[in-house]
Structure formats: structure tokens, C-alpha cells
Amino acid sequence: MLEKIENLKNDALAKIKIASSEEELKNIELEYFGRKAGKIGEILKAIPTLEPKERGAVGKNANIAKKDVEAGIAARYFEIEEEKYASLATSEKIDVTEPAINKIEKGKRHPLSKFMLECEEVFGKLGFEVAEGYEIEDDFHNFEALNFTPDHPAREMQDTFFIENEELKGYVLRTQTSDMQIRFMEENKPPYRIIAPGKVYRKDSDATHSPMFHQIECLMIDKNVSLANLRFILLSALRELIDPNVDLRFRLSYFPFVEPGLEVDALLKVDGKETWLEIGGAGMVHENVLKNVNIDPKKWNGFAFGFGIERMVMIKYGVKDLRSFFENDLRFLKQF
Ligand code: PHE
């Protein structure tokens, strides 16, 4: 009997040692300790049927075996648990630095929006704040206050879209961001430096014109502002935005809201060759404009300039057809 107990115990311990899962261990537990046919329980139950002198030793050994097997099972449970966590550390390891398998394509800004944001940043460093307005504009802000008299021929120059709606009679789709000069000056006391990027509209459509395009207006009003200030600001900004070697040239021109009025050309490398390209209009703010917004032209003066964003981006990246910006062909847009 004692030998039987010893074998039972050794068998059990051997099985426990190689058990590789909690389930196998549970089965071993049942085999030896199950309420119905547990092998150790059977022996304990059989003690009363033994010879009295045998009972003591059998009972003692059976209890030792029971404890050893129980302890063995408990220890193995613990080991299996440990192994499970240890393997989790390798099987479920996540490398957070690894690139995603399904690459999600990130959206990007449209080249025009991107350039306008760059303008805001560059002019911001030069002390200019951003002013925003409306694309549907009244005659006063788009023309009249900018010194376009009602019969001024320059109104015709701008191929205006007039809004044909009784309620919005007299409104236009703004033809220039210069309306923002008026809107900002009406609301604020000088001195100030602002830029106003935005959409403008003109009846025009070909490889270099679109009925909707973008401009950026720049206005500085202070005391004793000069054309040299204008040149410095514009040149500094363009050197950072377009090309560090850009140079500028001014030609006399005419815009009703500036005096003198200037056409600005930039010297740029195009296909390896230095070329003067017209980039926008500029000038010293006309005193009539200042008077229209109740600013005393004896105390204050300033400059304004405006240029087309599409044209700038075309120059910067060598884009040949302006319409590419609005076709939204990803093959084009992805290049920026
Ligand atoms: N608003 C003018 C245009 O669209 C450009 C301009 C802006 C000219 C500011 C002078 C001063 O043609």
C-alpha cells in the first residue's frame, strides 16, 4: 500500500511537471482530488478498511502525498501563468515606432492656401496683422471709397460681376482685395500694418486668368511712410517667400486709390534665365482715400500694394497654366 502511494505521488508529480496548460493541470487535479474518483481520496477513504496497525502509516503517507501533489499543482499553475505573461511580452509586443501597414494618405493643403499661410507668417514677422472681409461687396468699399468716381473708366477695366438680385442691388463680387483697405481703416485708428488675403472675381478666363482668383493686399499707414518703406517690406517678404535673390523694379502706372501708382516687376530666374515679371500693383495711399475713412492726410500717410497669389505660385513653382490650380487633379496637387 505504501508503495502504491509512493508511485501514485511520483506519477502525479511527473504529470504535473510536463503539464503545459491550465486545462491539463485541472484534469490532473480531477484525477487525484476529484470528489467522485480522485485517486488520493480513494486511498484516504479506504483507510478504515485496513488492518489497524497499517492505518497510521498509510494515513500519514497518504496525507504527505496529498500535500506534495497539491503543492506541485499550485507551483505549476504559477509557472504556467508566468510563462503566459512572458510569452505575451514577445507575441503581443507592439512597436509603436513601426510604420502603419495600411498607410493612410494624409491630406495636404492646396498650394494656394499654403502660399497664403506662408504670406501670413512672413508678413507677420514684419509686423503685419491679417484682416478678413467679404467676397460679396458693396460699391462703396470695392470702388467709391477707393476713389473710383461713379463714372470712372477704371470701373470698366475690372470686368466686374454685378449681382443681379433686387435685395443686393449695387453689390458686386469684389474685384480686388483693396476693399479691405477701406473696411479696415473704417474700423481702426492708425498706425497699422495689415495684409488681407482672399478671393476676388473678374469676368476673365484663359491660361493666365480665372474668373475667381486670389489676391493679397498689403497696407501700412503711419507717419512719414515712404516708397522706400514699401520697397523694403515687399522685397524682404518676396525674398523669403519666393527666392532669396529676387530684385524689384517699379514702373509708373495708374490706380485711382494710390498716388503715385506703380506697377511692380520682379527679377526672377525662369527656366534658368533672369526675367522681369510683372507681379502686382502698388503705390502711396491717395489722400482722397484717407479722407473717405476720416483719416487726416496731413498727419498720416502710407503705402498699399496688391498681388495675385496664383501668379506668385506659378512663378515660384514654374506652373504654366493657372487652371491647374482649380482642376484638383491629384497628380498636380501632390507635387507641392
Ligand atoms: N487692387 C489692384 C488690382 O487689383 C492692385 C493694387 C493694390 C494696386 C494696391 C495698388 C495698390 O489691380
Side-chain angles (χ1 to χ4, degrees):
M1 190 61 163
L2 291 182
E3 205 185 308
K4 191 179 161 195
I5 292 170
E6 190 63 21
N7 289 338
L8 204 72
K9 182 175 101 178
N10 290 337
D11 276 2
L13 291 177
K15 280 185 195 160
I16 288 165
K17 210 170 159 190
I18 56 164
S20 61
S21 68
E22 288 177 12
E23 222 161 285
E24 279 178 51
L25 269 183
K26 265 210 183 93
N27 289 334
I28 296 170
E29 239 178 331
L30 271 179
E31 188 181 338
Y32 292 91
F33 301 109
R35 283 228 265 159
K36 276 193 187 136
K39 286 180 178 164
I40 292 181
E42 302 272 90
I43 288 171
L44 292 171
K45 262 192 258 165
I47 290 174
T49 66
L50 297 175
E51 289 292 314
K53 58 174 160 64
E54 267 189 293
R55 289 180 198 169
V58 169
K60 192 176 157 212
N61 282 316
N63 273 316
I64 290 170
K66 185 180 171 222
K67 283 216 176 80
D68 285 353
V69 174
E70 275 173 350
I73 287 174
R76 188 70 192 129
Y77 261 125
F78 186 74
E79 275 172 23
I80 286 174
E81 192 85 337
E82 293 268 276
E83 281 162 19
K84 203 165 85 184
Y85 283 114
S87 72
L88 268 186
T90 50
S91 69
E92 309 246 316
K93 186 173 162 191
I94 294 170
D95 179 357
V96 291
T97 66
E98 204 171 307
I101 298 163
N102 298 316
K103 278 203 187 134
I104 297 165
E105 286 221 27
K106 257 202 265 170
K108 276 205 277 187
R109 281 192 196 283
H110 190 278
L112 297 176
S113 315
K114 186 168 160 261
F115 187 78
M116 284 193 279
L117 285 175
E118 285 163 13
C119 286
E120 290 180 13
E121 202 188 307
V122 168
F123 280 101
K125 282 191 278 185
L126 293 163
F128 287 76
E129 59 178 302
V130 178
E132 275 177 90
Y134 313 103
E135 288 162 36
I136 294 178
E137 187 56 286
D138 54 33
D139 184 89
F140 179 77
H141 292 92
N142 196 83
F143 291 122
E144 197 184 321
L146 286 164
N147 207 26
F148 290 78
T149 48
D151 53 357
H152 203 293
R155 286 177 186 243
E156 301 302 311
M157 274 163 35
Q158 298 207 341
D159 303 309
T160 311
F161 283 110
F162 294 94
I163 297 196
E164 288 169 8
N165 174 314
E166 268 312 302
E167 274 170 63
L168 293 174
K169 219 176 156 123
Y171 281 80
V172 300
L173 292 182
R174 70 170 175 192
T175 60
Q176 51 187 353
T177 45
S178 300
D179 66 325
M180 287 309 298
Q181 294 185 27
I182 304 303
R183 288 208 173 268
F184 192 85
M185 289 193 286
E186 280 177 329
E187 302 283 327
N188 298 279
K189 287 208 174 351
Y192 30 66
R193 304 172 186 199
I194 58 155
I195 57 162
K199 289 186 169 71
V200 298
Y201 300 83
R202 292 184 199 179
K203 288 183 188 162
D204 226 343
S205 190
D206 59 38
T208 52
H209 296 89
S210 151
M212 182 283 292
F213 60 106
H214 298 78
Q215 282 188 335
I216 187 158
E217 194 81 7
C218 182
L219 172 74
M220 172 173 175
I221 301 288
D222 208 319
K223 290 184 170 147
N224 304 315
V225 178
S226 72
L227 278 177
N229 298 139
L230 186 164
R231 185 185 153 81
F232 175 79
I233 295 283
L234 185 53
L235 195 57
S236 312
L238 292 178
R239 287 195 168 155
E240 199 167 336
L241 285 165
I242 309 267
D243 177 346
N245 297 313
V246 68
D247 205 355
L248 289 180
R249 171 173 94 177
F250 295 88
R251 283 179 287 118
L252 274 179
S253 181
Y254 176 75
F255 302 96
F257 43 95
V258 283
E259 181 59 40
L262 305 165
E263 208 83 62
V264 185
D265 297 336
L267 182 64
L268 286 154
K269 269 226 167 73
V270 181
D271 302 328
K273 245 186 26 212
E274 295 222 297
T275 319
W276 286 105
L277 292 172
E278 185 187 321
I279 56 164
M284 300 304 291
V285 178
H286 198 292
E287 65 169 58
N288 286 353
V289 172
L290 295 175
K291 283 180 196 157
N292 287 340
V293 289
N294 293 318
I295 290 176
D296 183 354
K298 289 199 190 68
K299 271 197 195 147
W300 304 98
N301 78 332
F303 65 73
F305 60 79
F307 50 79
I309 301 286
E310 281 79 355
R311 189 157 170 77
M312 285 295 175
V313 180
M314 285 169 86
I315 291 171
K316 181 167 179 175
Y317 297 103
V319 177
K320 292 285 179 290
D321 191 328
L322 174 137
R323 289 167 292 201
S324 322
F325 289 123
F326 308 115
E327 283 162 358
N328 288 328
D329 184 329
L330 287 176
R331 289 166 301 177
F332 171 76
L333 295 176
K334 274 183 178 168
Q335 296 176 49
F336 295 89

